[in-house]
Amino acid sequence: MDHIVKKIDDFYKRLEKSNKWKIIQPILVDYGATIAFIFLISFNILFTPNFFQISTFLLIIKQTTSLIFVAVGMTIVISMGGTDISVGSIMAFSGILIVQMLVMGMNFYVSIILAFIICALVGTFNGVIISKVGIQPIILTLVMQIVLRGFTVMLAKSTVIPLHKYKLLYRLGIMRVAGDIPIQVFFFAFAVIIAFLLIKKSVFGKYIEAIGSSRKAAHLTGIRTDFIMILAYILSALFASFAGLLEMSRTAALDPNLLGKNFELDAIASVAIGGTSMAGGKAHVLGTIMGCVIMTMIGTTVNMNNVPIAVSNIIKAGIIVFSLAIQHKSTD
Amino acid sequence: MENNNILLKMTNISKTFPGVKALSNVDFTVNRGEVMGLLGENGAGKSTLIKIITGYYRRDSGSGEYLFDGKPVNPTNTLAAQKLGISTIFQELNLSPLMSIAENIYLGNQPLKNGIINWKKMNEDAKKAMLDLGIDVDVSKPINSVSTAIQQMTAIARAISTDAKLIIMDEATSSLDNNEVNTLFDVIRKLKAKGISVIFVTHKLDEVYRICDRGTILKDGKFVVCKPMSELPKLDLISYMLGRDAREIVNKKKVYNKEIQENETYYEARNIRKTNCRLNGINIHIKKGEVVGLAGLLGSGRTELAKVIFGDDQKYIGYTFLNGIAVKFRSPHDAVKNKLAFCSEDRKAEGIFPYMSVEDNITMPQVGKLSKFGLISRRKQKKITERYISKLSIKTPSSKTQIRDLSGGNQQKVIFSRWLAMEPDMIILDEPTRGIDVGAKGEIENIISSIAKQGISILYISSENDELVRNCDRVVVLYEGKNVKELVGEEISSESIMAAIAAGKS
């Protein structure tokens, strides 16, 4: 084992010392997602029957939209040097809250807002414990993941709830605007714009990167690090709860065990592929979005070529390992 | 016949990186049982040379000769160099933090008994190895529970246990206090007695004179001179390093301006105490436009006081006043709002945002003000950055360059720019010239004196007394968390500061 590790290490050292790698590495980190995206598209156009149609693209976007929201929140949290693996469960939790309130006869919009507020409180809790108490983010959010999933299953009484009865919620899933464009496409665009402004252009985004770069330095520069960290976890929870609403309406059913399941992993993978530094300090918004589309397209590609769906997980894993290996920085 | 006394002989070594010639035709020899100082400014090629010796880099093919122990060698990695008997002790030590001292010494060659580790023998051996170095310590303690100095000794003991003939110490003293430095030097003398050679790389010139037998000076990748330290007076040494006459930089003293003492008091702290006894009732005041030096040994409470003043530490008792009004900062955020600034001694961990651009590093405390509806104005950010890049002559390829690619001196200038851009009333400088080479030090000190001329108060913390002499109007000497002496104007000298510290001790 040691022998192999040493060999890999030597390989990297040689790569890093060689001049070509110095030029190629940043390009791969920054544009790796774009390259993979182009590769996937060309592969599909060449080999997948019926792929090159507008409806296929709209379908991919429709399927990606919920993941995009989760991944935008994840980009914020990861580039701040944290992580949030409770988002999948928050999606389900937000879903069950909305449905429960609808069952109780509440107004559709009021129940959404209330559910979002409750999820924001969950995010606040995450942020406060992580920043003030100093518990490892992965541990705390793992606990939240388990607890919230438990609450969701309990509230749903372990049954799948069909949503056809709730007209507004059902319509949100199948609505088409301007002729034939699914409403998800607009949410997709909305997420991209918000993410870009929030992470790349705003003061908040700058503070996030600063904290990810060096929390102590950020604190000593007068940034209210705890406050910003709490805000990041709140945003992550809010994005997840919106994703929960979208995903539940798209599938027209609420399965308390499956809604949002593994979304945190797909989101982390998208962020990694996109070139956001896993150690924090550098956010790549467009990379993340590209990453999300790639994650969905892997599934679609496998599906449309009649390959068992399990294969897509293996491909995803390979891509994640590859993108992290590229990020591997020299310790020098 | 080769001189048998020579352990390491490198002749005509060159190393070319794409676009840069890091070393050109350098000669370097180390005798057996000798402490050789390797000196030069940042970028002079010291670390490149060290890395060639330890096999991390390879010299340009065909250039020169590398003889170790009389034989031509060409280590291809650090492990190969270790097998030859070359060990390196880095500033950041390569130890496993949770393992014991004994385990760290024998990691990879633990004494075995029937295939399992013989713990008893390992601990006994380790104890003996540490005692050999004059350190009496419980070797079963985890390495992260002992001081940096003991950690270093562990690394040295490890090097000896692998039969090192040459130990390279790269900035080994930078995180040690005076006593620990003394212990390290005792150990180095013991290594010498065993016939082990040491290459000593440091920025602290005083230490070079205390421990090195000879010094080799590099400048811009070229060999300058190699002389016994006794034939190399300090001013000559610095002049060699800079490549110009150093006399006018070193022997300077701040011209004392009496009028400053008439100014109003800007900041005052009364009877500052901390329960863990690092601060035992410090009183200090700083007038407008005054430069107050804070002298004392490591652990005398200088940095702790700075953190109390800046609001980074609230667990203290005492009163603080700003312009005569009682204030209490709950966080650095409060302090910054009140126009205080702080440059940490640990620039790498607490100062810079390594992966962010120079522009972001300079404008970070300002971005809130430079924004509309929460969105930052790039134009204003750029304007400020360009102003300070030219004002402090920061050497950077562009304002978008990541700060970690800049030299230490230029990083420090970026941090200064960060605070000057917010027009502070007072700046706390904690070891502002640490890890910065001699040439840039002069530049940094010039900036500091120009800051003081703008009427900004400065609290100047430094372990280098001549730096305080050159820059301060008044020096407060701390000892064990108390101010024991105050020196004003003409009274300030290296000797008077040392005397005050020594008097505090008795």
Side-chain angles (χ1 to χ4, degrees):
Chain A
M1 193 62 203
D2 276 5
H3 179 69
I4 298 168
V5 170
K6 202 177 141 357
K7 263 205 165 156
I8 295 174
D9 209 51
D10 277 358
F11 171 73
Y12 270 123
K13 281 217 179 103
R14 242 181 300 134
L15 257 183
E16 275 160 16
K17 266 184 248 176
S18 75
N19 194 22
K20 277 180 203 142
W21 180 242
K22 281 216 174 89
I23 300 168
I24 294 170
Q25 195 233 14
I27 296 176
L28 277 181
V29 169
D30 285 353
Y31 302 108
T34 318
I35 295 167
F37 180 72
I38 291 169
F39 173 78
L40 260 176
I41 294 264
S42 352
F43 176 88
N44 277 309
I45 289 175
L46 290 177
F47 298 108
T48 308
N50 305 327
F51 180 82
F52 197 54
Q53 289 168 1
I54 201 83
S55 60
T56 317
F57 284 94
L58 290 179
L59 181 74
I60 287 171
I61 287 179
K62 191 173 168 181
Q63 286 178 346
T64 314
T65 305
S66 349
L67 179 59
I68 289 267
F69 278 91
V70 177
V72 167
M74 193 65 82
T75 308
I76 293 174
V77 173
I78 287 182
S79 58
M80 192 186 64
T83 190
D84 185 353
I85 57 171
S86 66
V87 284
S89 295
I90 290 180
M91 283 174 71
F93 189 56
S94 125
I96 193 68
L97 287 176
I98 293 170
V99 171
Q100 288 286 316
M101 284 187 258
L102 289 179
V103 169
M104 278 156 40
M106 266 201 248
N107 174 291
F108 177 62
Y109 299 101
V110 173
S111 45
I112 287 179
I113 287 167
L114 279 179
F116 286 1
I117 289 174
I118 295 170
C119 289
L121 288 177
V122 172
T124 316
F125 179 80
N126 281 344
V128 169
I129 300 290
I130 288 164
S131 67
K132 301 270 186 200
V133 185
I135 289 181
Q136 285 290 319
I138 194 158
I139 302 297
L140 182 80
T141 54
L142 174 66
V143 171
M144 282 323 267
Q145 181 189 67
I146 298 165
V147 167
L148 291 180
R149 183 65 68 186
F151 270 120
T152 308
V153 174
M154 201 175 76
L155 286 171
K157 304 197 177 60
S158 301
T159 53
V160 178
I161 304 170
L163 302 178
H164 301 275
K165 277 193 283 180
Y166 312 107
K167 285 282 162 317
L168 281 168
L169 188 55
Y170 182 66
R171 279 238 309 274
L172 181 65
I174 54 165
M175 203 197 269
R176 280 169 189 262
V177 192
D180 213 22
I181 302 169
I183 186 150
Q184 281 88 352
V185 175
F186 292 94
F187 286 129
F188 186 102
F190 174 73
V192 173
I193 292 166
I194 281 285
F196 186 68
L197 290 181
L198 198 60
I199 299 173
K200 280 289 143 199
K201 291 281 169 200
S202 78
V203 178
F204 173 73
K206 205 52 95 186
Y207 287 168
I208 288 288
E209 283 191 343
I211 293 171
S213 213
S214 169
R215 187 176 167 188
K216 187 72 197 170
H219 183 64
L220 288 177
T221 310
I223 297 172
R224 285 177 292 169
T225 48
D226 289 356
F227 173 70
I228 299 289
M229 285 172 81
I230 294 166
L231 214 55
Y233 282 97
I234 293 177
L235 279 173
S236 172
L238 272 177
F239 280 124
S241 50
F242 190 67
L245 170 69
L246 288 180
E247 186 68 5
M248 154 174 94
S249 66
R250 189 175 68 83
T251 52
L254 192 159
D255 183 337
N257 283 304
L258 284 182
L259 178 58
K261 195 168 178 180
N262 286 347
F263 263 72
E264 63 280 347
L265 301 182
D266 278 2
I268 291 173
S270 311
V271 173
I273 299 170
T276 294
S277 162
M278 285 291 117
K282 201 110 213 81
H284 270 266
V285 180
L286 293 176
T288 296
I289 285 154
M290 218 65 100
C292 291
V293 178
I294 291 169
M295 291 318 263
T296 314
M297 265 174 51
I298 293 170
T300 320
T301 308
V302 166
N303 220 355
M304 289 173 87
N305 287 292
N306 293 324
V307 180
I309 194 75
V311 174
S312 74
N313 286 337
I314 296 168
I315 299 174
K316 282 180 193 172
I319 289 185
I320 295 165
V321 170
F322 182 69
S323 52
L324 289 184
I326 292 170
Q327 275 195 26
H328 174 96
K329 287 188 193 84
S330 86
T331 45
D332 185 28
Chain B
M1 195 52 215
E2 268 295 324
N3 186 350
N4 205 22
N5 196 28
I6 294 176
L7 177 69
L8 172 82
K9 188 174 170 68
M10 304 184 89
T11 33
N12 256 331
I13 300 289
S14 295
K15 174 73 191 171
T16 317
F17 292 111
V20 197
K21 190 136 193 176
L23 289 178
S24 53
N25 305 328
V26 169
D27 294 344
F28 188 57
T29 11
V30 180
N31 294 334
R32 285 176 205 282
E34 177 187 48
V35 181
M36 169 60 91
L38 183 55
L39 307 162
E41 286 197 276
N42 280 344
K46 290 172 298 184
S47 46
T48 311
L49 184 60
I50 295 285
K51 282 178 176 165
I52 289 174
I53 297 175
T54 55
Y56 189 89
Y57 291 151
R58 304 239 218 132
R59 63 178 193 271
D60 288 354
S61 53
S63 87
E65 215 182 4
Y66 177 2
L67 295 175
F68 189 77
D69 222 356
K71 288 183 286 286
V73 290
N74 201 358
T76 50
N77 56 39
T78 36
L79 203 67
Q82 242 172 54
K83 282 195 182 123
L84 290 170
I86 302 171
S87 279
T88 318
I89 291 164
F90 287 105
Q91 196 176 344
E92 284 95 17
L93 296 158
N94 280 324
L95 299 168
S96 308
L98 292 173
M99 289 189 168
S100 74
I101 294 177
E103 281 174 284
N104 267 294
I105 295 178
Y106 295 108
L107 197 64
N109 50 15
Q110 296 94 336
L112 298 178
K113 191 169 153 190
N114 308 328
I116 48 174
I117 296 173
N118 186 345
W119 286 93
K120 193 160 165 248
K121 184 171 183 322
M122 187 165 91
N123 282 334
E124 278 166 5
D125 286 358
K127 182 90 192 168
K128 212 156 57 191
M130 292 302 272
L131 278 177
D132 244 20
L133 300 176
I135 313 289
D136 193 2
V137 65
D138 178 4
V139 292
S140 60
K141 272 190 180 167
I143 203 84
N144 61 1
S145 70
V146 298
S147 68
T148 321
I150 303 282
Q151 292 179 7
Q152 241 162 23
M153 301 307 159
T154 309
I156 293 171
R158 179 174 166 76
I160 297 172
S161 85
T162 55
D163 291 320
K165 297 189 184 98
L166 174 67
I167 298 181
I168 300 167
M169 299 193 185
D170 194 353
E171 295 286 349
T173 57
S174 61
S175 46
L176 301 184
D177 71 24
N178 281 346
N179 282 330
E180 291 171 332
V181 170
N182 288 338
T183 325
L184 177 70
F185 284 179
D186 286 342
V187 169
I188 292 180
R189 285 185 200 106
K190 289 201 178 94
L191 295 177
K192 268 174 76 173
K194 284 183 197 223
I196 297 173
S197 311
V198 174
I199 299 176
F200 195 74
V201 186
T202 184
H203 277 112
K204 298 186 185 170
L205 299 184
D206 293 333
E207 289 174 357
V208 177
Y209 283 96
R210 281 173 60 196
I211 193 70
C212 294
D213 302 312
R214 289 195 300 162
T216 298
I217 299 166
L218 301 181
K219 176 166 170 52
D220 298 335
K222 292 192 189 74
F223 172 83
V224 179
V225 77
C226 174
K227 272 186 177 178
M229 293 315 293
S230 51
E231 294 169 25
L232 198 61
K234 194 167 178 181
L235 279 176
D236 288 8
L237 173 68
I238 296 174
S239 304
Y240 278 130
M241 285 168 65
L242 293 178
R244 61 190 156 94
D245 202 341
R247 255 151 274 265
E248 76 269 21
I249 322 175
V250 173
N251 286 334
K252 223 171 55 180
K253 178 163 173 19
K254 176 146 187 175
V255 182
Y256 178 52
N257 182 0
K258 260 196 179 131
E259 284 162 26
I260 279 187
Q261 295 304 322
E262 314 287 312
N263 282 0
E264 283 168 58
T265 299
Y266 172 69
Y267 183 88
E268 188 176 2
R270 265 186 227 155
N271 203 15
I272 301 293
R273 289 171 185 278
K274 259 180 80 83
T275 35
N276 64 3
C277 294
R278 292 299 277 278
L279 302 176
N280 293 317
I282 295 185
N283 293 297
I284 191 165
H285 67 275
I286 298 145
K287 292 179 189 302
K288 280 191 179 136
E290 190 185 25
V291 184
V292 177
L294 215 49
L297 304 172
L298 205 75
S300 59
R302 295 169 309 175
T303 299
E304 288 79 0
L305 179 65
K307 295 216 158 162
V308 163
I309 293 177
F310 198 59
D312 189 33
D313 182 350
Q314 287 99 53
K315 295 187 192 77
Y316 68 93
I317 310 164
Y319 303 95
T320 53
F321 302 87
L322 203 63
N323 287 322
I325 300 160
V327 287
K328 178 156 177 144
F329 299 142
R330 286 191 316 275
S331 71
H333 181 75
D334 280 355
V336 173
K337 260 202 320 215
N338 282 290
K339 295 210 165 291
L340 262 68
F342 175 62
C343 297
S344 165
E345 59 177 336
D346 192 350
R347 189 175 53 243
K348 244 180 169 170
E350 301 187 346
I352 60 170
F353 301 109
Y355 295 105
M356 301 185 90
S357 66
V358 170
E359 184 173 291
D360 285 341
N361 267 285
I362 289 180
T363 52
M364 193 55 78
Q366 303 274 95
V367 286
K369 276 184 222 143
L370 303 180
S371 66
K372 239 187 212 159
F373 310 116
L375 302 181
I376 301 167
S377 159
R378 268 278 151 72
R379 200 175 44 82
K380 286 184 194 158
Q381 237 187 336
K382 197 166 170 212
K383 214 169 117 195
I384 291 178
T385 309
E386 276 168 1
R387 183 160 80 231
Y388 279 95
I389 285 180
S390 76
K391 205 169 167 186
L392 305 193
S393 46
I394 300 170
K395 284 194 200 75
T396 171
S398 86
S399 56
K400 293 268 177 259
T401 309
Q402 287 187 355
I403 192 170
R404 69 194 171 115
D405 295 335
L406 267 52
S407 72
N410 281 305
Q411 288 182 2
Q412 191 67 292
K413 286 189 200 166
V414 169
I415 306 255
F416 279 6
S417 309
R418 175 191 293 173
W419 293 122
L420 290 178
M422 71 155 223
E423 296 167 345
D425 291 334
M426 178 165 117
I427 300 189
I428 305 163
L429 301 172
D430 197 354
E431 303 281 3
T433 63
R434 172 172 288 181
I436 290 173
D437 55 54
V438 185
K441 256 184 198 174
E443 249 185 296
I444 293 285
E445 287 182 32
N446 285 339
I447 294 171
I448 292 171
S449 72
S450 78
I451 296 172
K453 279 196 195 109
Q454 293 167 31
I456 298 170
S457 311
I458 297 176
L459 184 63
Y460 195 125
I461 302 173
S462 178
S463 318
E464 300 198 21
N465 294 339
D466 41 343
E467 227 176 276
L468 296 176
V469 175
R470 283 198 294 277
N471 297 296
C472 297
D473 299 308
R474 188 153 59 85
V475 172
V476 175
V477 180
L478 297 188
Y479 188 77
E480 290 190 346
K482 254 187 270 184
N483 37 343
V484 289
K485 181 96 183 166
E486 191 167 295
L487 301 160
V488 185
E490 302 303 327
E491 299 166 20
I492 306 172
S493 70
S494 269
E495 294 75 24
S496 62
I497 295 172
M498 276 318 288
I501 293 173
K505 220 170 207 163
S506 60

